[in-house]
Amino acid sequence: MIQFERVSKAYPNDQTALKDVSFRLPAGRMVFLTGPSGAGKSTLLRLIPQIERPTSGKVLINGTDIGRLAAWRIPQFRRRIGLIFQNPNLLDELSVFDNVALPLRIQHYPREETARRVRAALDKVGLLDREKARPMELSGGEQQRVNIARALVAKPSIVLADEPTGNLDPELALDIMRIFTEFNAAGVTMLIATHALGLISQFDAPRLTLREGRMHLENA
């Protein structure tokens, strides 16, 4: 479960990104985070894996106040979270297989287990036949699917996606959202920030809306 308790985030330039935000996202749910550019969506997502820290308030994951975690525990905590961004940020010098394998190699998974998980993840996103390709050989939609496979290969309990369909045409964007719903059906908690209101209207999921840093709950 993800829970924000009166969270605010201000920056040194006197810009306040989030103002007294509170919400609760139960485990296993998929929720869309919407709002105009500059509303604070990216900031909110960065607070969950502690890429940034709140100025005030608490962020809790499964009841644990993550602001109280010792520094040495943060990398271990982040392994439970899959991060997907608008730009896939794949490594061009590596194959598709090796890009997806990176999180497992960092965690020192055995070679056989790594290969099994990577191929299962690529199969899930429909790219098993491209495992030897380099990112530059893929379309934008294929690169984003590799990005998704990499985020999910370690079987995180939470996935955070920041405008994951922003660079894709409507058909490819719909394919990506369908992939997310499949993983959510398997029990993964999904929080997806997006501008694409027409796209997400096709899915039966609650919507959190940020306006000028304040939270509004819709379609709960």
Side-chain angles (χ1 to χ4, degrees):
M1 179 181 69
I2 301 171
Q3 185 173 352
F4 276 47
E5 293 184 354
R6 305 194 68 177
V7 171
S8 295
K9 176 63 179 180
Y11 292 100
N13 60 2
D14 294 328
Q15 177 189 3
T16 300
L18 297 174
K19 304 172 185 177
D20 203 29
V21 169
S22 296
F23 71 93
R24 180 179 295 181
L25 173 53
R29 295 289 297 277
M30 183 169 83
V31 172
F32 294 114
L33 178 64
T34 68
S37 295
K41 300 188 299 298
S42 295
T43 297
L44 187 151
L45 292 183
R46 289 196 296 268
L47 293 177
I48 296 171
Q50 288 203 304
I51 296 172
E52 295 191 27
R53 290 177 178 254
T55 304
S56 62
K58 295 180 181 180
V59 179
L60 300 98
I61 306 296
N62 296 328
T64 298
D65 181 355
I66 61 174
R68 295 179 175 273
L69 288 178
W72 64 269
R73 292 188 60 195
I74 293 175
Q76 182 181 16
F77 161 73
R78 286 177 178 161
R79 291 171 188 166
R80 299 157 51 191
I81 300 175
L83 301 174
I84 300 169
F85 299 102
Q86 182 174 341
N87 186 339
N89 291 317
L90 303 177
L91 298 178
D92 289 336
E93 67 273 18
L94 299 181
S95 67
V96 165
F97 181 99
D98 289 333
N99 267 282
V100 176
L102 274 176
L104 302 182
R105 289 173 176 161
I106 290 170
Q107 297 179 51
H108 305 293
Y109 274 70
R111 180 177 298 181
E112 295 80 6
E113 176 72 1
T114 295
R116 185 187 67 78
R117 287 199 179 201
V118 169
R119 293 193 171 106
L122 288 173
D123 187 44
K124 189 70 174 177
V125 300
L127 287 177
L128 184 57
D129 60 340
R130 304 304 306 275
E131 68 171 61
K132 295 181 180 180
R134 297 295 175 93
M136 65 191 70
E137 301 172 43
L138 305 179
S139 68
E142 288 173 329
Q143 289 184 23
Q144 189 60 295
R145 282 190 278 160
V146 174
N147 188 22
I148 292 169
R150 181 177 59 187
L152 292 165
V153 71
K155 298 182 179 180
S157 58
I158 296 170
V159 169
L160 309 174
D162 193 359
E163 298 290 353
T165 63
N167 293 329
L168 306 179
D169 64 43
E171 184 176 350
L172 290 173
L174 184 59
D175 286 343
I176 295 300
M177 286 298 183
R178 285 172 175 160
I179 291 171
F180 288 156
T181 62
E182 290 175 6
F183 281 102
N184 174 245
V188 179
T189 304
M190 310 284 299
L191 181 57
I192 305 166
T194 180
H195 284 105
L197 300 185
L199 174 63
I200 66 175
S201 68
Q202 302 176 61
F203 298 89
D204 182 20
R207 188 184 305 174
L208 297 169
T209 300
L210 281 170
R211 299 191 187 99
E212 297 181 347
R214 296 192 182 277
M215 181 65 74
H216 303 266
L217 178 61
E218 303 175 12
N219 301 335

